[in-house]
Structures are given as C-alpha cells and as structure tokens.
Amino acid sequence: MVRMLSKPKLKSSEVEVQFPTLLMTRKYQEVDALNAALGELVTKLEKEAKNVADETTNIGGFHSDSKLMNRPEPEILMLREMIGVAVKEYIDRYFKDNCAEPPKDLKIRMWGWGINMREGDGNSQHVHPDAKISGVYYPVIPSGQLGGSKAKPGGAIMFSDPRPRAHMNPVQNQITEIVVPPEPGMMILFPSYYEHAVIPFRGPGVRTCIAFNAHF
Ligand SMILES: [Fe+2]
C-alpha cells in the first residue's frame, strides 16, 4: 500500500547573523586645524622621541611610545574627547551584540600612539592582545594614487576574516579580507582581536595615524 504524503508547508525560516564583528567608521568635518596640529605633533616626536617601530609589527616608519594620550597639547585633549565618545558608542553596540547582559561598573582605560609612514612603510598582520577595543584616527593621508592594486590600494588598512575556520573550504569569490582606505578626519574602531595590516604605499608624503586601545 502506498502511503499518501501531503507536501509540507513551511512554518517558518529565519537566518540570523551570529557572532558579529563590528567595524565602526566615523568621519569628522572642520578638522583641518586639528589634523594639522596632530600631524605636526607626531612629526615633532619623530625628531625628538624614541622610535619603537622595531618592537612592533610596523615595517619601517616612526612609532611613538604608548603615552601619546597623556600629553597636554590641546590637539591631544580634543582627540581624546572624540575617541572617548566613539568608544562609548561602540561599546554600547558591542555589548548589545556580544553580551547576554551589559557588563557593570566599567572602568575604561585608554592609551594611544602616533605613527608616521612614508613610501614603502607598512604594518604586518596583527591583533592588539592587551585590549578589548582598538581604533585609529587619520589626521594626514597623502593624496592621489598611492600604489598597490585596485583591491588593495597602498596605505589602506586591511582586515582579515576573524572566524577561525572560515577559510577551511572557501567558496568561489569568498571575501576573506576587507580593505578600508583611510582619509583625513576618519576614525575607525574594531574589536582588538580583529586581525589587520597596513598595505605599504607608493609616492611622496607622510601618512600619519594615531592608534588607540581601550581596555576594561
Ligand atoms: Fe593595529
């Protein structure tokens, strides 16, 4: 005897994003004077202070110590305030997407450092193991074509898929890297575990950035 089967009707189907990786991009305007002051400060430090680039993942260039945010210059105070607001907004969203409940009694500690890069300088793939949230503000970026390729332009920051086994059986055209070309007045924030690198650029000029960490 043949059993008669009725065709199942779909009751529900949902797709959700799980374990998201949050990249925040902020763009500021009316920052010409701030950016000039920050660029001059990092270049002054390059002449006067110790270069710790060799102790980091940076390839060439100048890397200040990690006490930049403790300095008294008005441009640093202003940048600290901007970063503070950005970190607060970022962690609100981060907790919403990553925590069963928001953590209580947060004491956020922040620190940062300045980097100057010139033609050929870069930064190999790395994470920031001593922090929870990291970010970077770009006061000075050389203009024009900076070499590299269309997909990986010179001077861009490049993030790699942080999911441990996501490359196991890649499908055709799978996105494994996300490239963000910087521009003056731009700030990005990301989880400190998110692997990233800086693609070396070609051409004249200085690429100045101020990187920061937040831990709590
Ligand atoms: Fe970094």
Side-chain angles (χ1 to χ4, degrees):
M1 174 171 169
V2 178
R3 193 186 294 267
M4 295 298 291
L5 298 176
S6 60
K7 191 175 173 184
K9 289 181 182 158
L10 184 67
K11 186 178 177 187
S12 68
S13 172
E14 290 178 15
V15 177
E16 59 184 13
V17 177
Q18 298 185 334
F19 302 115
T21 305
L22 304 178
L23 178 77
M24 174 184 268
T25 304
R26 298 163 85 85
K27 292 182 181 178
Y28 297 85
Q29 52 191 355
E30 298 175 24
V31 286
D32 289 354
L34 172 67
N35 287 348
L38 289 169
E40 283 164 21
L41 176 60
V42 177
T43 299
K44 178 169 106 83
L45 291 175
E46 184 173 12
K47 292 190 184 112
E48 296 174 358
K50 189 180 175 206
N51 182 1
V52 301
D54 287 350
E55 300 162 29
T56 71
T57 53
N58 281 60
I59 303 159
F62 168 74
H63 187 305
S64 79
D65 67 23
S66 297
K67 296 178 185 152
L68 188 73
M69 293 297 165
N70 301 344
R71 297 185 64 92
E73 288 85 354
E75 58 270 28
I76 291 294
L77 299 181
M78 191 164 289
L79 182 63
R80 260 174 57 185
E81 187 180 324
M82 292 157 61
I83 293 171
V85 172
V87 166
K88 177 76 176 57
E89 279 185 32
Y90 183 91
I91 62 176
D92 282 349
R93 174 64 188 272
Y94 187 87
F95 294 159
K96 191 165 170 279
D97 284 14
N98 289 274
C99 302
E101 303 181 13
K104 294 187 178 72
D105 302 324
L106 277 190
K107 288 190 177 59
I108 300 173
R109 188 165 59 87
M110 288 194 319
W111 64 100
W113 55 97
I115 295 174
N116 268 352
M117 289 178 176
R118 293 179 180 77
E119 179 164 28
D121 298 337
N123 199 338
S124 52
Q125 196 175 56
H126 65 282
V127 296
H128 295 200
D130 47 357
K132 289 196 168 58
I133 307 299
S134 299
V136 61
Y137 178 74
Y138 299 99
V140 182
I141 298 295
S143 55
Q145 293 295 316
L146 300 177
S149 63
K150 196 175 172 199
K152 296 182 181 179
I157 184 167
M158 183 171 73
F159 294 93
S160 299
D161 188 341
R163 297 170 298 173
R165 283 164 290 282
H167 304 196
M168 184 175 61
N169 291 313
V171 298
Q172 192 178 23
N173 302 324
Q174 180 164 330
I175 296 166
T176 58
E177 287 154 343
I178 291 177
V179 171
V180 181
E183 53 186 83
M186 187 169 109
M187 182 189 290
I188 56 176
L189 288 87
F190 48 90
S192 304
Y193 63 75
Y194 198 4
E195 281 183 307
H196 55 284
V198 176
I199 301 165
F201 71 91
R202 297 288 160 211
V206 183
R207 178 191 187 278
T208 303
C209 73
I210 294 172
F212 52 90
N213 277 336
H215 199 39
F216 39 85

